[in-house]
Amino acid sequence: MAKPADTKTATSRKPAKGTRSAAETEKIRAALAGRRDELQAEYDQTLSEITELQRERLTDSAGDDQADTGTKTFEREQEISLANGILDRISQVERALERLDAGNYGWCERCGNPIPVERLAAFPSATLCVTCKQLEERR
Ligand SMILES: [Zn+2]
């Protein structure tokens, strides 16, 4: 192979890695935005449930013994950690959207292949493609 020709094609060739079509980027953005809305709704729902349950607890806590109080505290902690878990996922999605804008989101960290849109929608924090993820888990 002629060397000068090789370098010429290498510089003019469109890089296979690091580019996605605008349509695909939009698809990912829409998927992530949809996910964020879903999570936001879930979070709002959880918060209103916490508020509701808290109100119930306050109104019927008159006859509570210590065990009841302990159970209720535990339940409340569970709900709060659930709500916090949703918040974490929301911020993951928001970080993903920022990285998408910066152009460095959605690429497998191991093989550099684009991660399918469907996978990104289901796991916004995914940094590996399915194949690499499976390899990782098998180790
Ligand atoms: Zn990969």
Side-chain angles (χ1 to χ4, degrees), residues 108 110-113 128-129 132:
C108 177
R110 269 173 69 117
C111 67
N113 286 332
L128 296 173
C129 70
C132 292

